[in-house]
Amino acid sequence: GDSVTQMQGQVTLSEDDFLFINCTYSTTWYPTLFWYVQYPGEGPQLLLKVTTANNKGISRGFEATYDKRTTSFHLQKASVQESDSAVYYCVLGATSSGQKLVFGQGTILKVYL
Amino acid sequence: GGIITQTPKFLIGQEGQKLTLKCQQNFNHDTMYWYRQDSGKGLRLIYYSITENDLQKGDLSEGYDASREKKSSFSLTVTSAQKNEMAVFLCASSLRDWGQDTQYFGPGTRLLVL
């Protein structure tokens, strides 16, 4: 079935460090891929979205590239800020499951001054 | 813009109790969802509804009922709360029911069962 794997449970960085969060997916369909971010006490919100029509998504300094060959959708940011501390979810959509989104386990990002 | 409101914010129940969580959205979206969030497990879909009075089971529907009597509201009932259960229940909505649409989430209801 469809699945998403985020191997990093937590990432700890200092301000201005480079961020890389690993995400791989498995599906037999042509998916839409999302990154959602969840700040403490809030629900998840969309960070960026990529469909089969465009391979790269960029938002608020974050970027993710959809690589069909390696079935990866890693999230990157050149220079993190303390305010980026949150939980980041890689999400698979528009698969043979139709309406359902498949969420990864989430990666907690902690950024210190 | 719009907003999703979930009530209550915190819910403390007793084992075996029936508990109801409510969600309202003013986006005028067709589709609404209920997810359960457990630490370290991502979000799991309990129920969703593509229109008023429609209900579709998700991967985690056992032990839950749902109700969509109006387009703007979607309720979830825990039919028999389990002792020591602790989770966050998130409501979401999207314009339509396809996996390409952005889902907008509420702030969640935090459940604790004593």
Side-chain angles (χ1 to χ4, degrees):
Chain A
D2 303 320
S3 65
V4 177
T5 301
Q6 290 179 248
M7 295 299 293
Q8 300 153 288
Q10 181 165 314
V11 173
T12 303
L13 297 171
S14 299
E15 274 209 336
D16 298 324
D17 280 352
F18 172 73
L19 170 69
F20 182 91
I21 299 179
N22 189 296
C23 171
T24 56
Y25 65 89
S26 174
T27 181
T28 56
W29 213 248
Y30 300 98
T32 295
L33 292 158
F34 307 82
W35 278 98
Y36 278 79
V37 58
Q38 185 175 24
Y39 299 101
E42 299 181 11
Q45 59 181 266
L46 180 69
L47 178 59
L48 54 84
K49 171 175 127 175
V50 171
T51 68
T52 52
N54 59 311
N55 287 343
K56 190 171 191 173
I58 299 174
S59 173
R60 306 185 230 168
F62 292 88
E63 65 177 71
T65 302
Y66 175 11
D67 187 330
K68 298 180 191 64
R69 184 180 63 84
T70 61
T71 62
S72 66
F73 189 54
H74 310 313
L75 182 70
Q76 303 180 71
K77 188 176 186 186
S79 175
V80 293
Q81 303 303 303
E82 189 183 24
S83 58
D84 292 326
S85 298
V87 182
Y88 291 80
Y89 290 99
C90 183
V91 183
L92 179 66
T95 66
S96 56
S97 299
Q99 299 88 342
K100 298 178 190 176
L101 295 184
V102 179
F103 282 77
Q105 300 90 328
T107 298
I108 300 169
L109 172 63
K110 294 192 176 183
V111 181
Y112 295 97
L113 292 171
Chain B
I3 193 167
I4 293 186
T5 304
Q6 292 188 239
T7 55
K9 287 186 179 172
F10 297 95
L11 185 55
I12 298 176
Q14 301 290 327
E15 185 181 14
Q17 196 175 2
K18 181 188 272 191
L19 302 166
T20 298
L21 292 67
K22 294 187 184 295
C23 176
Q24 296 267 348
Q25 54 99 358
N26 64 359
F27 288 98
N28 199 33
H29 283 166
D30 289 331
T31 307
M32 296 185 74
Y33 310 80
W34 276 107
Y35 290 90
R36 177 181 166 123
Q37 183 176 37
D38 294 278
S39 178
K41 289 188 180 178
L43 277 66
R44 291 180 289 174
L45 183 65
I46 304 171
Y47 268 98
Y48 67 100
S49 166
I50 62 173
T51 189
E52 191 176 315
N53 293 319
D54 174 74
L55 291 175
Q56 309 280 341
K57 290 184 178 181
D59 299 321
L60 204 65
S61 60
E62 189 171 332
Y64 302 94
D65 287 329
S67 172
R68 180 104 181 263
E69 293 174 353
K70 293 192 302 184
K71 185 176 182 178
S72 62
S73 66
F74 194 28
S75 298
L76 180 73
T77 299
V78 180
T79 56
S80 180
Q82 301 298 303
K83 189 174 175 62
N84 297 325
E85 183 175 6
M86 188 165 65
V88 178
F89 291 85
L90 292 163
C91 177
S93 71
S94 66
L95 183 59
R96 290 190 179 82
D97 63 343
W98 294 109
Q100 290 194 18
D101 286 344
T102 299
Q103 291 189 13
Y104 296 85
F105 286 83
T109 292
R110 283 147 184 80
L111 171 68
L112 175 62
V113 181
L114 302 175

